[in-house]
Amino acid sequence: MKTERYQSPLWRAAGAACLVLLAGAVLGSAQDQSQLNRSLKILYAGRPGSDREKDFVGFLRKHFDTVQTGDLQKFQEADTQGFDVTLLDWDWNEFKGPRPQLSPNFSLPLLTLGVPGGLICDRWRLKAGYL
Amino acid sequence: MENAAHVELLSHEVYRTPLTVQPEFEFRRTPENYRRSYFGPGKVPDQIKVWRVQNNQKGNVVARGAGFEDSPDAEILAVGFNHGKAYGDVGIGRQANVLQWGYSDPPSQMTEAGRRLFVNCIHYIRKFDGQTPLVRLQSSARTNAMSTASFLKIIAEKDRKKFFTSSFPEELWEKYQSDFDGLLAYYQANLELVYRDRVYRVDAEIQSLGLDSNRKVETLERLFELLKDDTRREVAQRLLDRYTDGRTTFDFQNGRDRIYFTDVGGYKFQVVPQGYLIAK
C-alpha cells in the first residue's frame, strides 16, 4: 500500500520538485560561498578565552582563511596593521568593557559590536554611539 | 532594542553581497514609544513588519537615528525594532570606516539571515578602508526639538520648567507652559529654521532675509551674496559665523554637490573632500 502510494505520478512529481529545490539550495549556497572573499584578514579583539570569543572565532574561520585574536583590554590601533577588518567586542551587554582610544585620522576598517561597541563609538563621538 | 530589525532597507547592497540574505518576516505590535517619536508623514501603523536577527530580546543597543544620515559619511543599514528609544533609531549603522552592529548575540544565537548579514557587513566595511569620519557629534538633530516637546507631557509638573528651559528658550515658557502640543506644532512648522545654541531656537534672522531654510545650499550662497549689500551685510555675516566654521571655502560653481549641512556636526555647512567615497 505504502509502495503504491509513492509510485503514484503525483508523489513522483512532488519528489522530483523536492530534489530540484534541494539541488537549487545546495548550488545557491555553493555559489554564495564562491562570492566570499576568504582572503580577507580578520582580527577579532575581544575577551580572551571567553565562550563568546570561541563562538565568534569559530564562525569567522568558516568564512575567512586568516582570523587572529587579540585582547580588547590591551588593544592599540597599531594592532590593526596587516588586517583588512578588525572586530572590537567584549562580553554581552557589558557596560564596563574597555573603550580604546584611536587617533582622529585612524582609517582602517572596524566593526564594533553590541553595547561595548556602542560605547566605544560614543567615546569616538561617532554617530553610531550608544544612545 | 529587541532582537529584530525593520524591513525598509533590505534593498541595500549589504543584504545581497556577497551572500544573499533572506530574512523571514513577521509582524510585531507597534511600540508606544514609536507613536511619541514619529511625526509623519501619516501615522505609524498598528503593527511593524520586522525580521529577526538573533534570539535574545535583551542586551542590544541602538544609535540615534535623527541626524544619522545628515553627513555623507554615514548611513543606516538596519533600523532597530525597539521599545525604549525612538522610531527610526539605528540597529546597524556605518560612519566612514566604522560599522556598529548593535545586536549582542554571538553567531550561534543569530538567525541564518543574521549570520549572513554579519558576514556581509565585514565585507562591506572593507570598502571604506582609508575613510575617516567627516563629522563628530557636537549637537543633536533639529527633529529632537519635536521629540523633546512631545516628551514634556510625561514629565512631572514640578520638574517641567527646568526640563523645558534646558531644551527651549525661556521666553517660550510663558506662551507654551500649558500648551505642549502648541510647542510641538511651532517647532514642526519651523523645522527648516531650527538650530541649536544650547537650546533649540528658530532662526528669526534667516526668516528676516526672506530665506526659508537654514540648511539649503541656496541659503549659504545667498548669504555670501548679501555680504555685498550694505544694509544686510551685518546680519549675513552673523549667519555665516553661525553656520560655517569660517575656514571652509565653498565652490558653488564646480563643487556645489559636495556641500552639505549637518545638524549633529554642529549646525554647519561643510564640504566633502575630493575623492571621498560616498555609498548612497
Side-chain angles (χ1 to χ4, degrees):
Chain A
M1 199 60 182
K2 196 174 177 181
T3 309
E4 280 172 18
R5 181 179 163 195
Y6 287 111
Q7 283 177 345
S8 76
L10 190 62
W11 278 101
R12 279 205 298 270
C18 284
L19 281 174
V20 168
L21 284 174
L22 184 64
V26 169
L27 283 173
S29 176
Q31 197 173 29
D32 266 358
Q33 292 297 319
S34 71
Q35 303 296 317
L36 282 174
N37 182 358
R38 294 193 58 92
S39 66
L40 290 183
K41 295 180 174 64
I42 309 296
L43 172 65
Y44 173 90
R47 184 165 204 159
S50 64
D51 289 343
R52 186 174 173 84
E53 180 195 62
K54 289 184 192 115
D55 200 318
F56 270 100
V57 171
F59 175 76
L60 291 167
R61 284 186 174 148
K62 288 179 189 164
H63 297 88
F64 303 100
D65 294 332
T66 304
V67 178
Q68 290 188 21
T69 60
D71 183 348
L72 187 64
Q73 194 86 53
K74 298 173 185 166
F75 177 80
Q76 296 181 347
E77 67 182 59
D79 298 342
T80 60
Q81 293 299 321
F83 292 97
D84 293 303
V85 179
T86 297
L87 281 64
L88 302 182
D89 189 31
W90 198 245
D91 291 342
W92 180 86
N93 196 16
E94 173 58 80
F95 283 80
K96 293 178 182 171
R99 297 176 203 177
Q101 186 57 290
L102 290 179
S103 55
N105 57 356
F106 179 81
S107 65
L108 293 176
L110 292 176
L111 198 151
T112 55
L113 288 156
V115 171
L119 292 168
I120 289 169
C121 289
D122 198 48
R123 178 166 193 200
W124 298 339
R125 290 176 31 237
L126 296 179
K127 292 179 170 186
Y130 186 90
L131 174 55
Chain B
M1 175 170 65
E2 290 197 3
N3 59 0
H6 290 219
V7 300
E8 293 92 331
L9 301 170
L10 295 176
S11 59
H12 191 284
E13 68 169 272
V14 78
Y15 293 90
R16 299 191 307 271
T17 309
L19 303 179
T20 305
V21 179
Q22 292 177 303
E24 292 182 15
F25 303 119
E26 57 186 276
F27 284 90
R28 295 191 187 174
R29 196 172 163 185
T30 299
E32 276 311 302
N33 53 305
Y34 278 23
R35 299 189 195 285
R36 278 199 305 276
S37 57
Y38 183 77
F39 302 102
K43 290 183 174 179
V44 284
D46 291 336
Q47 291 194 313
I48 302 289
K49 188 177 181 182
V50 300
W51 67 278
R52 193 162 58 83
V53 179
Q54 61 170 36
N55 291 334
N56 266 305
Q57 289 280 23
K58 293 184 177 175
N60 313 302
V61 61
V62 285
R64 199 181 287 280
F68 197 96
E69 294 189 324
D70 76 358
S71 58
D73 59 345
E75 59 178 334
I76 301 170
L77 301 175
V79 171
F81 183 73
N82 73 84
H83 274 92
K85 306 296 180 183
Y87 181 92
D89 281 342
V90 182
I92 304 169
R94 177 191 68 82
Q95 185 178 5
N97 59 322
V98 180
L99 189 151
Q100 159 69 1
W101 177 276
Y103 298 90
S104 285
D105 277 359
S108 65
Q109 300 299 311
M110 295 176 189
T111 60
E112 178 58 21
R115 280 189 284 270
R116 284 174 164 249
L117 179 59
F118 185 71
V119 169
N120 287 1
C121 282
I122 293 172
H123 281 80
Y124 186 61
I125 196 60
R126 173 74 173 87
K127 285 174 52 172
F128 298 92
D129 186 5
Q131 307 286 295
T132 53
L134 298 177
V135 161
R136 303 279 175 176
L137 287 182
Q138 310 267 350
S139 190
S140 47
R142 62 189 67 203
T143 49
N144 284 345
M146 299 194 300
S147 322
T148 309
S150 70
F151 198 63
L152 277 162
K153 286 179 192 166
I154 58 172
I155 300 288
E157 202 167 337
K158 66 180 174 58
D159 299 324
R160 274 185 189 159
K161 186 170 183 185
K162 190 176 175 190
F163 185 86
F164 187 105
T165 54
S166 69
S167 295
F168 305 109
E170 191 146 2
E171 59 267 26
L172 294 182
W173 173 251
E174 284 307 312
K175 185 172 181 183
Y176 291 113
Q177 61 177 294
S178 54
D179 180 16
F180 297 138
D181 287 339
L183 180 72
L184 173 59
Y186 169 72
Y187 278 99
Q188 198 156 16
N190 292 293
L191 193 64
E192 281 301 307
L193 301 167
V194 172
Y195 70 105
R196 192 163 182 233
D197 174 15
R198 195 186 66 80
V199 292
Y200 296 103
R201 299 179 187 279
V202 171
D203 197 330
E205 289 185 305
I206 286 279
Q207 258 178 325
S208 75
L209 296 176
L211 300 168
D212 61 0
S213 169
N214 62 0
R215 58 179 167 180
K216 288 182 181 170
V217 175
E218 291 79 3
T219 295
L220 180 66
E221 190 172 24
R222 182 69 181 139
L223 291 176
F224 278 109
E225 287 168 3
L226 288 173
L227 291 177
K228 297 172 196 154
D229 179 338
D230 287 344
T231 61
R232 293 184 282 186
R233 181 188 301 134
E234 196 176 323
V235 65
Q237 186 60 61
R238 195 160 48 245
L239 289 166
L240 285 170
D241 290 344
R242 185 174 299 153
Y243 295 122
T244 71
D245 62 15
R247 300 182 307 274
T248 305
T249 53
F250 301 95
D251 182 348
F252 296 105
Q253 303 305 317
N254 303 313
R256 193 180 190 86
D257 59 348
R258 293 193 293 117
I259 301 171
Y260 65 95
F261 185 92
T262 170
D263 287 7
V264 300
Y267 288 84
K268 302 287 184 198
F269 284 99
Q270 297 187 358
V271 174
V272 183
Q274 285 281 8
Y276 195 90
L277 177 61
I278 300 171
K280 291 278 169 73

